[in-house]
Amino acid sequence: IGIFLPDEEAHDALADARATLALLRHLQEAAPTTFAMMMANSDRRHVLDMLRGAELLALTQHFGAPRTLPVAPIVASPMNGNAFAVVDLTVDPGTYLYAGEAELAGLLAIRGPRPIFTIAANAQPMLFPFEHGEAVILDRLPTEDYRARAERIRAHHGFVARLTAVLGRQFSDRAIASEPEEQIYDRF
């Protein structure tokens, strides 16, 4: 991409900052729409607005290699205003729609790719309107199939209620922090 990174500057903080800046400038020039969307995602309110208002979204994750998923926002966490549960629409919802709370909690706790997970709105997720990211989804199904899956999941009130209950207890076993800055998720 035209960014020179000398080996002798590896792991040097200033060199790393310069390399990051060069990479961002290149991205801004080469893909201005994507860059603007990424910058907008630095505002958690923008991310939460997308999660509350979109039927389908595209989320790019990095578990070893980058991959973009079609996701459907389902429900906000009742305990953390910055967390929103979404489902990976490449996974058949029949595999988890009737799962009990313990199984749903287990699915949320899996490290790496999983069918249900939370997006932290304050972590600048690589979340885009579906139309912007759909071209890079591998093994893509027709958009109508993703819409049908999302509607099936949202219409299953028992699933949504169980997922909400699980999210409400997600960090209940954690002790309340003693320092004020550590109490951000304890509602002070």
Side-chain angles (χ1 to χ4, degrees):
I1 61 176
I3 300 172
F4 178 69
L5 305 172
D7 288 341
E8 63 272 3
E9 291 184 8
H11 306 292
D12 175 73
L14 184 57
D16 290 349
R18 287 181 177 138
T20 301
L21 184 59
L23 185 62
L24 287 173
R25 284 183 176 145
H26 175 75
L27 180 60
Q28 185 179 24
E29 184 178 301
T33 303
T34 300
F35 181 83
M37 288 180 193
M38 289 172 53
M39 294 307 294
N41 286 349
S42 67
D43 181 347
R44 71 179 185 84
R45 293 169 298 191
H46 172 77
V47 174
L48 289 170
D49 287 346
M50 278 199 304
L51 289 164
R52 288 184 196 116
E55 179 185 19
L56 302 176
L57 292 166
L59 175 71
T60 300
Q61 295 181 316
H62 296 269
F63 292 112
R67 67 186 189 126
T68 300
L69 302 172
V71 297
I74 302 301
V75 64
S77 169
M79 297 305 293
N80 178 353
N82 287 315
F84 213 99
V86 301
V87 294
D88 175 353
L89 294 172
T90 65
V91 178
D92 177 5
T95 63
Y96 58 80
L97 209 51
Y98 298 96
E101 290 182 18
E103 190 176 349
L104 290 175
L107 290 173
L108 283 168
I110 294 171
R111 290 273 191 220
R114 55 196 179 276
I116 307 165
F117 52 95
T118 56
I119 291 179
N122 59 345
Q124 195 170 1
M126 296 284 287
L127 189 66
F128 304 102
F130 182 76
E131 301 73 30
H132 185 76
E134 69 181 311
V136 294
I137 294 171
L138 299 177
D139 302 321
R140 196 169 153 348
L141 297 175
T143 301
E144 299 76 35
D145 290 357
Y146 295 137
R147 289 189 198 291
R149 285 181 175 185
E151 180 54 36
R152 177 180 175 204
I153 296 163
R154 287 189 190 103
H156 196 289
H157 300 293
F159 169 76
V160 174
R162 289 190 304 277
L163 181 57
T164 302
V166 168
L167 291 170
R169 291 190 303 274
Q170 196 170 25
F171 301 107
S172 62
D173 60 343
R174 188 178 40 135
I176 295 177
S178 60
E179 297 296 322
E181 58 273 359
E182 295 172 353
Q183 296 176 5
I184 189 167
Y185 297 112
D186 297 329
R187 300 185 186 260
F188 297 95

